[in-house]
Amino acid sequence: MQDDLRGTGVRLPAPSLSPIRAVLRRIVYACAALGLVFLLVALDLDGYKDSYDGKVSLLDALYYATVTVSTTGYGDITPVTPLARTVNILAVTPLRIVFLVILVGTTLEVLTRRTREIFLIDRWRSRLRDHTVIIGYGTKGRAAIRTLLENERDKESIVVIDPRAEAIEEANADGFAGVVGDATRSEVQNRAGVRQASEIIVATQRDDTTALVTLTARQLNKTATIVAAVREAENDPLVRQSGADVVITSSDAAGRMLGVATQSPAVSALIEDFLAYGKGLDLAERPVQPHEIGRSPSQCDGVVIAVVRDGRILTYADEEVSSIREGDRLVVVNAPQG
């Protein structure tokens, strides 16, 4: 786990060096220390004495190096000359310490890193509430995130799920928490805190995957707003039955935009303006203010183009909205300030 696990957010990138590679690297260092001790002993075999036969061979030198750096030393082979003892004092003993540091350090590092990861992730999840889960960090997912950020949403409140490790690495680099895995599995969605999310955006690459992901998300969270994107309009009912509150058909929407642009470029430009939040005119949904109750849409603050009542969207010209009621929500056009 990297040092970017701090604050109220968390990131779950793959570590820069995997634990297996870290252990293998430490083993190489330990073997190098062992080999150096063997070389020092092999260069001065006559300076050592074997209690068994009095002579020290290369095999005995390797044996001595092994038991010495591991600190188990049995005393059957000992340095007897001043030179051999000096080499043990100045070289073999420091190498023994290095070997121990490598051995113990690897164990402590692995245990400490794992414990720290678990602690930080658990702390993050315990504080994760009312966040937004983005399932799919492709073109649609990134565009959805940009819109959320333009609406002053914090990066710490956004969690990304994607089956591609490289996509999550990109999300981490962009400052978002990320979970690598198949979002059709409840275990993966639970890791992203779907149960505590207030909004779930499904932007996968396939419509069948979208339906399964939406179904899983709805089973885990009955109250969150789920918005899903599909490529084909014929899959819209299926995804809605799976639990989506809003379904966006990307191919039909693009086709309609192409048709509108051909017949009325100005209208097309205006629609594109609405889609780019913070530039020019913006569409926004807000609750009714107390002083607006009982008034007509034209008498409310701002330009009201629709009223959301009992889950239905009614245009400003509909007879049912001739009078604004308590509990209504207004869809208004916001003009740029200044």
Side-chain angles (χ1 to χ4, degrees), residues 5-27:
L5 282 168
R6 57 178 181 263
T8 58
V10 66
R11 302 183 190 177
L12 308 173
S16 57
L17 185 64
S18 68
I20 294 178
R21 292 183 60 187
V23 170
L24 290 176
R25 185 174 64 179
R26 298 295 181 88
I27 290 176

Side-chain angles (χ1 to χ4, degrees), residues 172-206:
N172 294 158
D174 293 338
F176 305 107
V179 175
V180 180
D182 181 2
T184 62
R185 299 172 54 196
S186 58
E187 182 271 335
V188 173
Q189 293 198 21
N190 277 327
R191 287 168 55 197
V194 164
R195 293 181 186 275
Q196 296 79 35
S198 61
E199 300 160 344
I200 302 169
I201 297 176
V202 184
T204 63
Q205 300 298 319
R206 294 168 53 96

Side-chain angles (χ1 to χ4, degrees), residues 108-120:
L108 290 178
E109 180 181 349
V110 172
L111 291 177
T112 302
R113 178 186 300 177
R114 183 59 180 168
T115 301
R116 181 169 177 266
E117 287 179 2
I118 294 173
F119 171 76
L120 291 174

Side-chain angles (χ1 to χ4, degrees), residues 80-107:
V80 293
T81 66
L83 176 61
R85 291 177 177 178
T86 301
V87 170
N88 266 261
I89 294 171
L90 299 180
V92 175
T93 298
L95 286 170
R96 180 188 299 121
I97 296 174
V98 169
F99 186 88
L100 285 175
V101 169
I102 293 173
L103 180 65
V104 177
T106 299
T107 303

Side-chain angles (χ1 to χ4, degrees), residues 91-331:
V92 175
T93 298
L95 286 170
R96 180 188 299 121
I97 296 174
V98 169
F99 186 88
L100 285 175
V101 169
I102 293 173
L103 180 65
V104 177
T106 299
T107 303
L108 290 178
E109 180 181 349
V110 172
L111 291 177
T112 302
R113 178 186 300 177
R114 183 59 180 168
T115 301
R116 181 169 177 266
E117 287 179 2
I118 294 173
F119 171 76
L120 291 174
I121 293 174
D122 287 345
R123 187 179 66 175
W124 166 68
R125 285 178 178 153
S126 67
R127 296 186 297 178
L128 197 63
R129 292 289 185 279
D130 298 328
H131 58 291
T132 301
V133 177
I134 308 293
I135 301 176
Y137 200 64
T139 302
K140 292 178 289 187
R142 290 195 296 268
I145 289 178
R146 283 197 300 270
T147 301
L148 292 174
L149 296 178
E150 290 168 353
N151 279 274
E152 301 180 352
R153 187 68 59 86
D154 295 330
K155 288 186 175 182
E156 289 79 6
S157 67
I158 297 174
V159 181
V160 177
I161 302 176
D162 199 286
R164 300 166 299 153
E166 61 273 16
I168 295 303
E169 290 177 0
E170 183 179 350
N172 294 158
D174 293 338
F176 305 107
V179 175
V180 180
D182 181 2
T184 62
R185 299 172 54 196
S186 58
E187 182 271 335
V188 173
Q189 293 198 21
N190 277 327
R191 287 168 55 197
V194 164
R195 293 181 186 275
Q196 296 79 35
S198 61
E199 300 160 344
I200 302 169
I201 297 176
V202 184
T204 63
Q205 300 298 319
R206 294 168 53 96
D207 289 359
D208 54 350
T209 303
T210 297
L212 290 174
V213 169
T214 302
L215 181 61
T216 303
R218 182 53 75 199
Q219 289 178 338
L220 295 175
N221 191 324
K222 303 297 184 183
T223 60
T225 299
I226 300 180
V227 180
V230 295
R231 294 178 178 271
E232 304 297 335
E234 63 185 14
N235 294 319
D236 183 310
L238 176 62
V239 176
R240 290 184 185 273
Q241 291 175 9
S242 298
D245 298 292
V246 179
V247 178
I248 307 298
T249 306
S250 57
S251 58
D252 279 8
R256 286 194 294 269
M257 284 290 292
L258 292 172
V260 170
T262 302
Q263 301 299 318
S264 181
V267 173
S268 175
L270 187 60
I271 294 174
E272 186 175 358
D273 182 24
F274 279 135
L275 293 176
Y277 187 85
K279 301 177 181 179
L281 299 176
D282 293 321
L283 287 177
E285 181 182 336
R286 66 171 177 82
V288 171
Q289 301 300 318
H291 68 274
E292 295 173 328
I293 297 175
R295 295 183 178 183
S296 66
S298 61
Q299 295 173 320
C300 295
D301 298 339
V303 180
V304 178
I305 63 173
V307 175
V308 181
R309 177 177 296 168
D310 299 328
R312 297 182 300 152
I313 301 176
L314 307 173
T315 66
Y316 70 93
D318 197 302
E319 294 181 356
E320 292 188 45
V321 295
S322 58
S323 177
I324 300 298
R325 301 176 186 174
E326 184 178 359
D328 287 348
R329 295 185 64 84
L330 305 182
V331 179

